[in-house]
Amino acid sequence: MPELNQSEVAAERVRQLCNYSESVSVDHSIPIRRYFRSGNEMMRMARVYQDEKDIQSAFILYTKFITLFVEKLMKHPGYKTVPENDKKVNKKVVELFLLFG
C-alpha cells in the first residue's frame, strides 16, 4: 500500500469530518422552533471552539449547521410556520463560507 503524503492525509481527514458532520437527522415530531434554537446554540459553540483554536470541533459544528439549515429543515412540515425573522438564520451560512472560504 503506497504511503500517503501530508496533503492526501489532510484531504482524507476533511472527507471523514464532512461525512461525520452530514449525519444529521430531523425528527418531524420535534417542533421546528427547537431546531432553530439548537442552530443558534451550534453557532455560538462553534465560535467558542474557533476562538479557542479548536478548528476541528468548530468545523464539525459549522458543517452540521449547514447540513441542518440548508439541506434538512426545509423539508420539515413546520418550516412554513417559521417567522421570516427566524429564517434569517440561513444568512449565517454565508458568513461561514466567508469565514472558511
Side-chain angles (χ1 to χ4, degrees):
M1 180 173 197
E3 195 170 310
L4 299 176
N5 66 38
Q6 218 173 354
S7 65
E8 292 171 327
V9 170
E12 178 57 29
R13 182 68 182 141
V14 169
R15 269 191 294 281
Q16 290 173 352
L17 290 173
C18 286
N19 288 339
Y20 172 73
S21 299
E22 291 173 354
S23 64
V24 176
S25 63
V26 173
D27 182 343
H28 292 179
S29 68
I30 294 175
I32 195 159
R33 306 257 319 145
R34 189 173 301 164
Y35 284 106
F36 275 79
R37 279 194 305 269
S38 295
N40 287 331
E41 181 62 16
M42 288 168 72
M43 291 294 289
R44 187 190 71 74
M45 283 304 303
R47 282 190 290 274
V48 168
Y49 286 135
Q50 185 179 349
D51 290 345
E52 293 174 350
K53 307 294 187 235
D54 184 353
I55 302 303
Q56 180 172 304
S57 295
F59 179 84
I60 289 169
L61 282 178
Y62 284 136
T63 307
K64 281 183 179 279
F65 177 90
I66 291 169
T67 300
L68 186 62
F69 282 89
V70 174
E71 297 176 18
K72 308 277 181 151
L73 279 185
M74 291 177 192
K75 298 173 187 167
H76 190 288
Y79 187 77
K80 293 176 185 174
T81 67
V82 175
E84 285 302 314
N85 285 344
D86 290 341
K87 288 182 182 178
K88 288 182 182 178
V89 73
N90 287 335
K91 288 185 179 182
K92 291 182 180 180
V93 173
V94 174
E95 294 174 19
L96 296 176
F97 288 119
L98 294 174
L99 178 69
F100 282 110

XYZ file of all heavy atoms in Angstrom:
836
model
N 0.851 -1.183 0.000
C 0.000 0.000 0.000
C 0.891 1.239 0.000
O 1.759 1.379 0.861
C -0.893 -0.038 1.244
C -1.809 1.126 1.372
S -2.932 0.816 2.766
C -4.142 2.013 2.389
N 0.663 2.155 -0.948
C 1.526 3.344 -1.023
C 1.273 4.279 0.155
O 0.158 4.379 0.663
C 1.119 4.002 -2.339
C -0.217 3.459 -2.667
C -0.316 2.120 -2.010
N 2.324 4.940 0.559
C 2.224 5.882 1.672
C 1.614 7.187 1.183
O 1.947 7.674 0.107
C 3.628 6.139 2.234
C 3.604 6.785 3.580
C 4.978 6.793 4.213
O 5.614 5.728 4.244
O 5.390 7.871 4.648
N 0.706 7.748 1.958
C 0.051 8.992 1.585
C 0.908 10.183 1.998
O 1.538 10.170 3.049
C -1.313 9.103 2.261
C -2.342 8.037 1.930
C -3.594 8.236 2.759
C -2.677 8.041 0.460
N 0.914 11.224 1.148
C 1.632 12.432 1.544
C 0.739 13.265 2.461
O -0.434 12.958 2.671
C 2.107 13.223 0.321
C 0.967 13.799 -0.503
O -0.031 14.243 0.040
N 1.115 13.793 -1.811
N 1.287 14.309 2.999
C 0.591 15.103 4.015
C -0.713 15.703 3.493
O -1.720 15.713 4.200
C 1.515 16.216 4.510
C 1.400 16.468 5.970
C 2.452 17.450 6.444
O 3.338 17.868 5.710
N 2.367 17.814 7.701
N -0.714 16.203 2.268
C -1.939 16.813 1.743
C -3.015 15.761 1.491
O -4.206 16.032 1.669
C -1.653 17.610 0.468
O -1.220 16.760 -0.561
N -2.628 14.545 1.116
C -3.606 13.473 0.937
C -4.207 13.042 2.268
O -5.406 12.767 2.365
C -2.960 12.272 0.238
C -2.586 12.537 -1.208
C -1.755 11.433 -1.815
O -0.953 10.807 -1.091
O -1.907 11.194 -3.029
N -3.378 13.008 3.290
C -3.860 12.666 4.627
C -4.838 13.740 5.109
O -5.910 13.421 5.644
C -2.682 12.510 5.622
C -3.177 12.403 7.052
C -1.844 11.300 5.250
N -4.481 15.002 4.892
C -5.353 16.107 5.306
C -6.677 16.063 4.542
O -7.747 16.241 5.137
C -4.658 17.445 5.088
N -6.626 15.814 3.248
C -7.844 15.746 2.443
C -8.739 14.600 2.906
O -9.965 14.754 2.991
C -7.491 15.581 0.965
N -8.151 13.471 3.233
C -8.924 12.332 3.721
C -9.561 12.664 5.068
O -10.712 12.306 5.329
C -8.052 11.081 3.832
C -8.770 9.865 4.366
C -10.001 9.460 3.553
O -10.041 9.707 2.342
O -10.937 8.893 4.164
N -8.838 13.344 5.927
C -9.378 13.728 7.240
C -10.573 14.674 7.080
O -11.587 14.539 7.760
C -8.279 14.383 8.100
C -8.742 14.755 9.476
C -9.031 13.521 10.299
N -9.528 13.901 11.598
C -10.490 13.279 12.250
N -11.025 12.198 11.750
N -10.902 13.712 13.410
N -10.460 15.627 6.168
C -11.570 16.554 5.920
C -12.779 15.784 5.387
O -13.913 16.037 5.802
C -11.155 17.685 4.947
C -12.355 18.491 4.485
C -10.134 18.597 5.610
N -12.556 14.833 4.491
C -13.655 13.998 3.982
C -14.341 13.251 5.126
O -15.561 13.184 5.205
C -13.147 12.991 2.943
C -13.196 13.497 1.521
C -12.943 12.381 0.517
N -11.599 11.831 0.580
C -10.518 12.390 0.057
N -10.622 13.547 -0.584
N -9.337 11.822 0.152
N -13.551 12.692 6.034
C -14.104 11.970 7.173
C -14.929 12.904 8.069
O -16.009 12.537 8.524
C -12.998 11.311 7.991
C -12.334 10.147 7.299
C -11.124 9.641 8.069
O -10.682 10.241 9.046
N -10.571 8.530 7.598
N -14.415 14.094 8.328
C -15.129 15.065 9.153
C -16.436 15.494 8.487
O -17.465 15.623 9.151
C -14.256 16.281 9.443
C -13.077 16.055 10.381
C -12.198 17.296 10.443
C -13.547 15.652 11.765
N -16.409 15.690 7.178
C -17.624 16.068 6.454
C -18.651 14.947 6.505
O -19.839 15.199 6.751
C -17.303 16.423 5.003
S -16.495 18.022 4.822
N -18.207 13.721 6.295
C -19.132 12.584 6.372
C -19.757 12.481 7.754
O -20.953 12.253 7.888
C -18.427 11.273 6.015
C -18.116 11.173 4.549
O -18.715 11.835 3.716
N -17.149 10.336 4.211
N -18.944 12.664 8.780
C -19.451 12.624 10.151
C -20.455 13.753 10.380
O -21.519 13.551 10.964
C -18.290 12.729 11.139
C -18.737 12.883 12.572
C -19.278 11.813 13.276
C -18.652 14.106 13.212
C -19.704 11.952 14.586
C -19.075 14.260 14.520
C -19.591 13.177 15.201
O -20.025 13.335 16.494
N -20.121 14.933 9.913
C -20.955 16.115 10.135
C -22.278 16.046 9.397
O -23.255 16.648 9.818
C -20.207 17.375 9.701
O -19.036 17.520 10.461
N -22.312 15.332 8.289
C -23.534 15.245 7.497
C -24.541 14.267 8.077
O -25.668 14.176 7.596
C -23.195 14.861 6.056
C -22.477 15.968 5.312
C -21.986 15.536 3.951
O -22.090 14.346 3.607
O -21.485 16.416 3.231
N -24.167 13.567 9.107
C -25.077 12.578 9.698
C -26.071 13.244 10.653
O -26.207 12.859 11.800
C -24.278 11.493 10.421
O -23.577 12.054 11.511
N -26.750 14.241 10.149
C -27.751 14.975 10.918
C -29.117 14.487 10.465
O -29.393 14.420 9.271
C -27.633 16.496 10.658
C -28.729 17.251 11.376
C -26.275 17.004 11.070
N -29.966 14.138 11.409
C -31.318 13.733 11.040
C -32.317 14.679 11.686
O -32.045 15.277 12.724
C -31.587 12.290 11.467
O -31.516 12.177 12.866
N -33.447 14.803 11.047
C -34.508 15.670 11.541
C -35.714 14.807 11.857
O -36.192 14.057 11.008
C -34.873 16.745 10.486
C -36.089 17.538 10.929
C -33.690 17.663 10.250
N -36.174 14.915 13.087
C -37.363 14.203 13.528
C -38.551 15.152 13.366
O -38.617 16.187 14.023
C -37.191 13.787 14.992
C -38.357 12.999 15.548
O -39.455 13.017 14.943
O -38.178 12.371 16.596
N -39.469 14.812 12.474
C -40.592 15.697 12.181
C -41.554 15.850 13.349
O -42.397 16.751 13.329
C -41.320 15.216 10.929
C -40.491 15.382 9.697
N -40.923 15.012 8.459
C -39.235 15.877 9.499
C -39.994 15.266 7.563
N -38.960 15.780 8.176
N -41.435 15.011 14.363
C -42.301 15.158 15.535
C -41.752 16.195 16.522
O -42.455 16.608 17.440
C -42.495 13.813 16.240
O -41.286 13.384 16.841
N -40.522 16.616 16.325
C -39.927 17.659 17.177
C -40.274 19.013 16.573
O -40.080 19.226 15.369
C -38.401 17.475 17.281
C -38.092 16.168 18.013
C -37.746 18.665 17.978
C -36.625 15.817 18.074
N -40.782 19.941 17.388
C -41.144 21.261 16.857
C -39.947 21.939 16.190
O -38.828 21.910 16.705
C -41.592 22.041 18.100
C -41.936 21.003 19.113
C -41.053 19.826 18.818
N -40.204 22.544 15.058
C -39.127 23.157 14.281
C -38.452 24.298 15.039
O -37.264 24.546 14.864
C -39.638 23.608 12.903
C -38.431 23.879 11.996
C -40.573 24.794 13.026
C -38.719 23.840 10.545
N -39.181 24.978 15.903
C -38.571 26.065 16.682
C -37.412 25.553 17.524
O -36.446 26.265 17.742
C -39.616 26.737 17.592
C -40.829 27.210 16.869
C -40.969 28.654 16.584
N -40.575 29.559 17.621
C -40.016 30.716 17.341
N -39.787 31.068 16.107
N -39.677 31.531 18.295
N -37.498 24.315 17.988
C -36.414 23.728 18.773
C -35.151 23.596 17.917
O -34.043 23.814 18.392
C -36.822 22.373 19.337
C -35.795 21.849 20.322
C -36.229 20.596 21.025
N -37.472 20.814 21.750
C -38.238 19.838 22.198
N -37.907 18.584 21.986
N -39.341 20.096 22.852
N -35.326 23.249 16.651
C -34.164 23.159 15.754
C -33.529 24.533 15.542
O -32.306 24.649 15.482
C -34.563 22.552 14.407
C -34.777 21.057 14.469
C -36.050 20.510 14.431
C -33.693 20.195 14.587
C -36.244 19.145 14.499
C -33.878 18.824 14.652
C -35.150 18.308 14.609
O -35.328 16.947 14.681
N -34.359 25.561 15.439
C -33.808 26.901 15.263
C -33.048 27.348 16.510
O -31.972 27.951 16.405
C -34.913 27.896 14.889
C -35.195 27.914 13.419
C -35.980 26.929 12.837
C -34.652 28.892 12.611
C -36.228 26.922 11.483
C -34.889 28.900 11.246
C -35.676 27.907 10.681
N -33.569 27.041 17.683
C -32.839 27.364 18.920
C -31.523 26.588 18.968
O -30.479 27.128 19.341
C -33.694 27.052 20.147
C -34.707 28.119 20.476
C -35.287 27.940 21.871
N -35.870 26.623 22.094
C -37.130 26.306 21.877
N -37.968 27.199 21.403
N -37.576 25.087 22.129
N -31.582 25.323 18.597
C -30.371 24.499 18.599
C -29.354 25.032 17.603
O -28.150 25.007 17.857
C -30.715 23.047 18.261
O -31.521 22.488 19.263
N -29.838 25.506 16.465
C -28.938 26.083 15.463
C -28.198 27.287 15.996
O -26.991 27.448 15.777
N -28.907 28.141 16.722
C -28.246 29.305 17.336
C -27.182 28.864 18.333
O -26.098 29.442 18.403
C -29.273 30.211 18.008
C -30.095 30.983 17.007
O -29.628 31.279 15.910
N -31.324 31.297 17.370
N -27.485 27.842 19.089
C -26.522 27.331 20.060
C -25.319 26.698 19.357
O -24.179 26.835 19.804
C -27.194 26.331 21.001
C -26.283 25.764 22.063
C -25.720 26.801 23.031
O -26.235 27.936 23.108
O -24.744 26.464 23.727
N -25.568 26.005 18.252
C -24.469 25.412 17.480
C -23.513 26.505 16.992
O -22.290 26.344 17.064
C -25.013 24.631 16.274
C -25.700 23.345 16.649
S -26.633 22.631 15.269
C -25.310 22.064 14.228
N -24.085 27.602 16.496
C -23.245 28.706 16.016
C -22.436 29.311 17.167
O -21.264 29.618 17.011
C -24.119 29.781 15.360
C -24.742 29.345 14.056
S -23.513 29.058 12.783
C -23.013 30.725 12.460
N -23.075 29.481 18.311
C -22.378 30.053 19.463
C -21.210 29.167 19.877
O -20.086 29.637 20.068
C -23.345 30.234 20.638
C -22.724 30.980 21.821
C -23.619 30.930 23.048
N -23.673 29.609 23.648
C -22.682 29.056 24.365
N -21.565 29.717 24.566
N -22.815 27.852 24.885
N -21.474 27.857 19.970
C -20.416 26.928 20.374
C -19.308 26.842 19.324
O -18.128 26.740 19.674
C -20.991 25.539 20.641
C -21.710 25.421 21.959
S -20.683 25.900 23.378
C -19.296 24.816 23.224
N -19.670 26.889 18.064
C -18.661 26.850 17.003
C -17.724 28.053 17.113
O -16.507 27.922 16.946
C -19.329 26.797 15.628
N -18.287 29.219 17.415
C -17.438 30.418 17.585
C -16.523 30.271 18.802
O -15.362 30.685 18.764
C -18.302 31.662 17.699
C -18.831 32.139 16.352
C -19.492 33.504 16.435
N -20.760 33.480 17.149
C -21.926 33.202 16.593
N -21.996 32.911 15.323
N -23.030 33.212 17.316
N -17.036 29.673 19.867
C -16.205 29.433 21.049
C -15.041 28.514 20.676
O -13.889 28.790 21.002
C -17.038 28.829 22.207
C -16.147 28.303 23.319
C -18.018 29.859 22.754
N -15.354 27.418 19.995
C -14.292 26.497 19.566
C -13.285 27.203 18.670
O -12.080 27.012 18.789
C -14.874 25.297 18.823
C -15.559 24.283 19.700
C -16.790 23.754 19.337
C -14.977 23.845 20.888
C -17.425 22.811 20.138
C -15.611 22.907 21.687
C -16.826 22.392 21.307
O -17.453 21.465 22.096
N -13.795 28.021 17.779
C -12.902 28.745 16.875
C -11.994 29.687 17.662
O -10.784 29.741 17.406
C -13.729 29.517 15.861
C -12.895 30.185 14.812
C -13.757 30.910 13.810
O -14.974 30.755 13.788
N -13.132 31.695 12.975
N -12.555 30.410 18.605
C -11.756 31.323 19.436
C -10.696 30.570 20.236
O -9.614 31.100 20.494
C -12.654 32.117 20.391
C -13.514 33.136 19.669
O -13.232 33.447 18.486
O -14.498 33.608 20.280
N -11.033 29.337 20.625
C -10.097 28.509 21.390
C -9.121 27.750 20.480
O -8.333 26.940 20.956
C -10.873 27.512 22.250
C -11.671 28.165 23.344
C -12.557 27.185 24.096
O -12.702 26.022 23.663
O -13.104 27.596 25.141
N -9.195 28.023 19.189
C -8.322 27.381 18.183
C -8.583 25.881 18.043
O -7.736 25.136 17.603
C -6.835 27.625 18.487
C -6.465 29.072 18.675
C -6.622 29.859 17.404
C -6.086 31.267 17.573
N -7.021 32.288 17.248
N -9.778 25.442 18.424
C -10.189 24.053 18.225
C -10.924 23.999 16.887
O -12.153 23.904 16.825
C -11.086 23.586 19.374
C -11.463 22.121 19.282
O -11.142 21.474 18.252
O -12.094 21.621 20.228
N -10.154 24.092 15.821
C -10.697 24.223 14.475
C -11.506 23.001 14.068
O -12.536 23.121 13.408
C -9.561 24.493 13.460
C -8.800 25.762 13.842
C -10.095 24.599 12.044
C -9.653 27.004 13.954
N -11.092 21.827 14.472
C -11.815 20.610 14.099
C -13.234 20.613 14.672
O -14.200 20.356 13.956
C -11.059 19.369 14.564
C -11.755 18.073 14.198
C -10.911 16.866 14.495
O -9.796 16.761 14.019
N -11.439 15.955 15.295
N -13.385 20.927 15.943
C -14.716 20.968 16.557
C -15.569 22.076 15.940
O -16.770 21.887 15.718
C -14.607 21.154 18.061
O -13.989 20.033 18.654
N -14.958 23.227 15.677
C -15.683 24.329 15.035
C -16.155 23.901 13.651
O -17.315 24.127 13.284
C -14.797 25.564 14.938
N -15.284 23.267 12.889
C -15.624 22.799 11.543
C -16.806 21.830 11.584
O -17.733 21.928 10.775
C -14.401 22.135 10.897
C -14.663 21.612 9.522
C -14.589 22.455 8.422
C -14.966 20.276 9.312
C -14.837 21.972 7.144
C -15.209 19.783 8.046
C -15.146 20.640 6.953
N -16.785 20.900 12.528
C -17.876 19.922 12.646
C -19.198 20.628 12.924
O -20.211 20.345 12.283
C -17.562 18.876 13.730
C -16.442 17.941 13.254
C -18.811 18.079 14.102
C -15.879 17.037 14.335
N -19.207 21.555 13.860
C -20.461 22.256 14.182
C -20.940 23.127 13.028
O -22.139 23.160 12.721
C -20.304 23.087 15.448
C -20.359 22.294 16.742
C -20.155 23.209 17.947
C -21.682 21.559 16.878
N -20.024 23.841 12.377
C -20.420 24.654 11.233
C -20.995 23.773 10.122
O -22.008 24.107 9.511
C -19.235 25.454 10.690
C -18.859 26.657 11.520
C -17.528 26.924 11.799
C -19.819 27.541 12.007
C -17.165 28.038 12.545
C -19.468 28.646 12.747
C -18.128 28.898 13.015
O -17.779 30.001 13.746
N -20.386 22.629 9.875
C -20.861 21.737 8.822
C -22.208 21.134 9.195
O -23.101 21.017 8.345
C -19.827 20.636 8.537
O -18.558 21.250 8.270
C -20.219 19.801 7.337
N -22.391 20.758 10.451
C -23.696 20.253 10.894
C -24.767 21.339 10.740
O -25.895 21.062 10.311
C -23.634 19.781 12.346
C -23.001 18.414 12.515
C -23.050 17.984 13.967
C -22.449 16.619 14.148
N -23.365 15.539 13.799
N -24.413 22.565 11.083
C -25.343 23.685 10.935
C -25.763 23.840 9.478
O -26.955 23.953 9.169
C -24.685 24.977 11.447
C -25.541 26.192 11.272
C -26.431 26.576 12.268
C -25.461 26.966 10.125
C -27.219 27.696 12.116
C -26.246 28.083 9.972
C -27.131 28.456 10.962
N -24.794 23.840 8.585
C -25.083 23.982 7.157
C -25.979 22.843 6.683
O -26.975 23.059 5.991
C -23.784 24.042 6.329
C -23.059 25.357 6.609
C -24.079 23.892 4.844
C -21.654 25.404 6.060
N -25.646 21.620 7.057
C -26.452 20.459 6.666
C -27.884 20.610 7.167
O -28.842 20.388 6.424
C -25.830 19.162 7.210
O -24.507 19.029 6.682
C -26.650 17.952 6.824
N -28.021 21.011 8.412
C -29.340 21.146 9.015
C -30.165 22.236 8.343
O -31.311 22.017 7.950
C -29.194 21.426 10.516
C -30.452 21.455 11.350
C -31.159 20.107 11.323
C -30.116 21.835 12.781
N -29.579 23.415 8.180
C -30.354 24.560 7.717
C -30.428 24.699 6.205
O -31.345 25.346 5.696
C -29.838 25.854 8.351
C -30.309 25.997 9.767
C -29.567 25.467 10.805
C -31.509 26.600 10.051
C -30.016 25.560 12.115
C -31.975 26.696 11.355
C -31.211 26.177 12.384
N -29.528 24.117 5.475
C -29.575 24.229 4.013
C -30.230 23.007 3.387
O -30.968 23.123 2.414
C -28.160 24.454 3.433
C -28.170 24.417 1.924
C -27.602 25.785 3.923
N -29.994 21.829 3.956
C -30.487 20.605 3.335
C -31.709 19.993 4.009
O -32.590 19.470 3.336
C -29.382 19.546 3.317
C -28.185 19.908 2.496
C -27.093 18.862 2.587
O -27.380 17.726 2.998
O -25.951 19.193 2.247
N -31.769 20.009 5.313
C -32.737 19.179 6.030
C -34.010 19.899 6.480
O -35.107 19.387 6.283
C -32.077 18.536 7.255
C -30.796 17.787 6.979
C -31.059 16.413 6.494
C -29.734 15.687 6.241
N -29.826 14.291 6.416
N -33.881 21.058 7.110
C -35.039 21.668 7.763
C -36.121 22.151 6.813
O -37.281 22.218 7.192
C -34.607 22.824 8.660
C -34.091 22.415 10.024
C -33.798 23.637 10.863
C -35.043 21.498 10.751
N -35.772 22.461 5.598
C -36.778 22.946 4.646
C -37.822 21.867 4.339
O -38.910 22.172 3.864
C -36.108 23.435 3.379
C -35.324 24.688 3.602
S -34.498 25.179 2.098
C -33.409 26.417 2.735
N -37.486 20.613 4.637
C -38.415 19.501 4.409
C -39.299 19.230 5.634
O -40.216 18.427 5.564
C -37.634 18.240 4.043
C -36.851 18.393 2.755
C -35.969 17.200 2.500
C -35.089 17.457 1.297
N -34.016 16.494 1.164
N -39.003 19.892 6.746
C -39.795 19.711 7.976
C -41.192 20.294 7.748
O -41.337 21.387 7.205
C -39.100 20.418 9.139
C -39.679 20.116 10.477
N -40.900 20.609 10.877
C -39.200 19.383 11.512
C -41.156 20.201 12.108
N -40.135 19.444 12.515
N -42.241 19.561 8.151
C -43.609 20.058 7.938
C -43.878 21.412 8.595
O -44.720 22.168 8.134
C -44.501 18.982 8.554
C -43.642 17.861 8.960
C -42.223 18.256 8.793
N -43.155 21.748 9.645
C -43.374 23.016 10.336
C -42.601 24.179 9.756
O -42.732 25.306 10.227
N -41.797 23.947 8.719
C -40.942 25.009 8.178
C -41.751 26.211 7.699
O -41.344 27.350 7.874
C -40.065 24.471 7.049
C -39.041 25.461 6.573
C -37.891 25.700 7.312
C -39.218 26.173 5.394
C -36.940 26.614 6.894
C -38.276 27.082 4.959
C -37.148 27.299 5.717
O -36.215 28.209 5.297
N -42.914 25.965 7.126
C -43.740 27.056 6.594
C -44.262 27.962 7.697
O -44.639 29.100 7.440
C -44.903 26.484 5.787
C -44.464 25.787 4.532
C -45.631 25.154 3.808
C -45.114 24.357 2.617
N -46.163 23.608 1.953
N -44.272 27.485 8.921
C -44.801 28.270 10.036
C -43.737 29.120 10.726
O -44.066 29.916 11.604
C -45.445 27.354 11.092
O -44.430 26.542 11.705
C -46.518 26.466 10.479
N -42.492 28.959 10.342
C -41.401 29.700 10.982
C -41.440 31.155 10.507
O -41.492 31.424 9.310
C -40.035 29.065 10.634
C -38.888 29.898 11.188
C -39.962 27.640 11.150
N -41.445 32.104 11.435
C -41.436 33.523 11.041
C -40.202 33.865 10.208
O -39.121 33.284 10.387
C -41.402 34.264 12.386
C -41.878 33.278 13.398
C -41.480 31.929 12.881
N -40.376 34.796 9.299
C -39.285 35.194 8.395
C -38.038 35.630 9.157
O -36.927 35.354 8.740
C -39.741 36.301 7.441
C -40.634 35.804 6.337
C -39.987 34.712 5.484
O -38.825 34.855 5.086
O -40.674 33.716 5.212
N -38.223 36.321 10.285
C -37.059 36.763 11.066
C -36.219 35.582 11.528
O -34.998 35.656 11.566
C -37.494 37.593 12.274
C -37.925 38.977 11.880
O -37.638 39.442 10.783
N -38.645 39.644 12.758
N -36.882 34.492 11.879
C -36.149 33.306 12.318
C -35.453 32.614 11.148
O -34.396 32.009 11.305
C -37.079 32.328 13.019
C -37.552 32.838 14.366
O -36.900 33.755 14.910
O -38.560 32.339 14.869
N -36.050 32.703 9.976
C -35.438 32.075 8.800
C -34.146 32.781 8.391
O -33.336 32.228 7.673
C -36.421 32.058 7.632
C -37.552 31.069 7.830
C -38.478 31.057 6.636
C -39.631 30.104 6.857
N -40.580 30.111 5.743
N -33.957 33.992 8.885
C -32.740 34.736 8.557
C -31.489 34.032 9.066
O -30.385 34.360 8.680
C -32.806 36.158 9.099
C -33.760 37.029 8.342
C -33.764 38.442 8.889
C -34.770 39.281 8.135
N -34.843 40.640 8.661
N -31.684 33.048 9.924
C -30.539 32.288 10.423
C -29.776 31.667 9.252
O -28.566 31.465 9.327
C -30.990 31.224 11.450
C -31.698 30.074 10.779
C -29.835 30.732 12.281
N -30.469 31.407 8.142
C -29.802 30.845 6.970
C -28.746 31.800 6.416
O -27.783 31.366 5.787
C -30.813 30.483 5.883
C -31.608 29.247 6.244
O -31.152 28.411 7.006
N -32.796 29.150 5.703
N -28.909 33.092 6.651
C -27.912 34.054 6.185
C -26.568 33.826 6.873
O -25.527 34.193 6.350
C -28.399 35.475 6.404
C -29.513 35.859 5.467
C -29.880 37.308 5.626
C -30.981 37.648 4.641
N -31.348 39.050 4.713
N -26.595 33.212 8.036
C -25.350 32.923 8.735
C -24.502 31.936 7.947
O -23.288 31.892 8.103
C -25.630 32.389 10.140
C -26.208 33.425 11.056
C -26.424 32.888 12.441
C -27.006 33.964 13.338
N -27.226 33.502 14.686
N -25.147 31.163 7.096
C -24.408 30.225 6.263
C -23.419 30.982 5.377
O -22.281 30.561 5.198
C -25.372 29.372 5.412
C -24.632 28.521 4.413
C -26.228 28.507 6.329
N -23.837 32.124 4.859
C -22.953 32.932 4.035
C -21.725 33.339 4.833
O -20.601 33.291 4.331
C -23.700 34.175 3.486
C -22.748 35.102 2.746
C -24.845 33.743 2.590
N -21.933 33.739 6.079
C -20.813 34.102 6.936
C -19.833 32.936 7.064
O -18.616 33.134 7.079
C -21.300 34.487 8.327
C -22.133 35.747 8.378
C -22.710 35.983 9.764
O -22.211 35.404 10.744
O -23.684 36.748 9.850
N -20.355 31.722 7.159
C -19.498 30.562 7.295
C -18.626 30.365 6.070
O -17.441 30.060 6.178
C -20.337 29.293 7.532
C -21.138 29.263 8.812
C -21.979 27.992 8.854
C -20.227 29.317 9.994
N -19.231 30.520 4.895
C -18.451 30.364 3.679
C -17.354 31.422 3.597
O -16.244 31.141 3.154
C -19.342 30.401 2.444
C -20.173 29.176 2.268
C -21.541 29.250 2.264
C -19.584 27.933 2.116
C -22.315 28.100 2.091
C -20.343 26.780 1.962
C -21.724 26.867 1.949
N -17.666 32.637 4.037
C -16.649 33.684 4.042
C -15.560 33.378 5.061
O -14.388 33.647 4.835
C -17.291 35.041 4.333
C -18.238 35.572 3.277
C -18.909 36.864 3.758
C -17.515 35.820 1.968
N -15.954 32.814 6.178
C -15.015 32.501 7.245
C -14.023 31.416 6.816
O -12.830 31.545 7.006
C -15.788 32.046 8.482
C -14.977 31.624 9.687
C -14.279 32.846 10.289
C -15.874 30.982 10.710
N -14.552 30.330 6.248
C -13.700 29.194 5.878
C -13.260 29.244 4.430
O -12.463 28.434 4.001
C -14.417 27.870 6.146
C -14.400 27.478 7.598
C -15.556 27.516 8.350
C -13.217 27.086 8.207
C -15.541 27.148 9.680
C -13.199 26.734 9.537
C -14.358 26.764 10.274
N -13.850 30.164 3.650
C -13.557 30.212 2.210
C -12.248 30.831 1.873
O -11.311 31.061 2.503
